[in-house]
DNA sequence: GTACCTGCAAAGCGTTTGCTAATTC
DNA sequence: GAATTAGCAAACGCTTTGCAGGTAC
């Protein structure tokens, strides 16, 4: 996701109108590395825009995705997550608290000899484990901050 | 997934009962590398067991998963997929026809210096591109065999 | 003024659950 | 005979859609 100013320009250039709701969603996403779900965004933005509807959130996210300004991310647990970071990267998913972190480590593209005739466009890597907080907390057995859905 | 005989033994050993429905689901999964959804399994097995219900399919799959006999796989597109292949491997997902293939190529585990304090348990890699059939068919522009859900 | 957009509600899809009757052991 | 399991249906969570009125341009 670009900085707000440039993003607004880009959207206008793409023919879309700048409503307060969209601007608020843009602002919420900007620099947000928590990989929020549509529901997360909805709840947060609604605090300042009480009339906001979830459908608008989905619409806006879909548009931003088509513009290539946000990534969509499915780490299981039901809801899709949205990621303003569009540079190529991977994700670390904590299986205890459900938190998702960006991972910018370089990953060599796999040996493709195993896939004769296929054309590989992209590689998505998901690391699963315990995040810093949770692996530290393991000893004291405190409950998770945001438990991941059971499946 | 183990061969049928051993699997039945294993399940009995784990205290579960061997109903015809379960046996049929086992047989359908055995050696099935198409990564079927619960619905796929349901439709196929119901042909021989007309009374079968979708809930039973989910129950059986959940049990098999807990026994470590099938993997669960979420490549987007809505439905979860089930994979009788439990050896460590990765997946290639065709973005045109939605087909999912197993990839046994060795993939180097990413450099974990970028995640200080985290404990990484497993790595899931998903390759996205065009499968053999679809990249061959690209020229002739035939419709996809099983279009992937739009998101 | 016009096209796009919002909000609402309802539908859609995949999945889970509660209950009763049937079955496996 | 006892406890697990199947089937059914209804509920659930996330997402999409149809249509009204409202709003940015």
């Amino acid at each position: 996701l670009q900085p707000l100013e440039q993003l607004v320009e880009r959207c206008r250039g793409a023919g879309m109108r700048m409503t307060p709701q969209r601007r608020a969603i843009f602002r919420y996403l900007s620099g947000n590395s928590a990989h929020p779900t549509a529901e997360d965004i909805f709840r947060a933005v609604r605090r300042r825009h009480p009339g906001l509807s979830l459908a608008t959130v989905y619409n806006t996210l879909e548009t931003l995705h088509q513009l290539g300004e946000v990534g969509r991310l499915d780490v299981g647990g039901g809801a899709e997550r949205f990621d303003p970071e569009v540079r190529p990267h991977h994700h670390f998913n904590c299986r205890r608290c459900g938190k998702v972190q960006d991972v910018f480590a370089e990953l060599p593209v796999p040996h493709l000899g195993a896939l004769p005739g296929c054309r590989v466009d992209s590689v998505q890597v998901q690391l699963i484990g315990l995040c810093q907080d949770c692996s530290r907390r393991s000893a004291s057995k405190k409950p998770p901050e945001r438990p991941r859905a059971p499946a």
Side-chain angles (χ1 to χ4, degrees), chain A residues 54-138:
Chain A
L54 195 49
T56 299
V57 175
Y58 278 107
N59 283 337
T60 303
L61 289 169
E62 171 62 24
T63 306
L64 282 180
H65 177 64
Q66 282 179 12
L67 287 174
E69 295 286 348
V70 299
R72 313 176 81 134
L73 173 61
D74 190 344
V75 294
E80 205 170 7
R81 287 154 178 276
F82 296 86
D83 190 352
E85 178 59 71
V86 292
R87 292 172 294 174
H89 67 286
H90 306 295
H91 293 102
F92 174 83
N93 184 208
C94 177
R95 64 175 155 75
R96 189 148 173 269
C97 69
K99 190 162 48 186
V100 178
Q101 294 176 39
D102 290 333
V103 178
F104 286 96
E106 285 282 332
L107 297 182
V109 176
H111 212 265
L112 299 181
L115 293 164
C118 292
R119 198 179 91 191
V120 175
D121 299 329
S122 66
V123 182
Q124 284 207 16
V125 177
Q126 187 186 348
L127 307 169
I128 296 151
L130 289 178
C131 70
Q132 304 151 36
D133 292 347
C134 286
S135 64
R136 207 179 304 133
R137 239 170 252 159
S138 294

Side-chain angles (χ1 to χ4, degrees), chain A residues 21 25 41-43 45-46 49-54 56-57:
Chain A
Q21 294 89 337
I25 293 171
I41 300 168
F42 174 59
R43 278 202 298 266
V45 176
R46 190 175 44 171
H49 295 260
L52 183 72
S53 96
L54 195 49
T56 299
V57 175

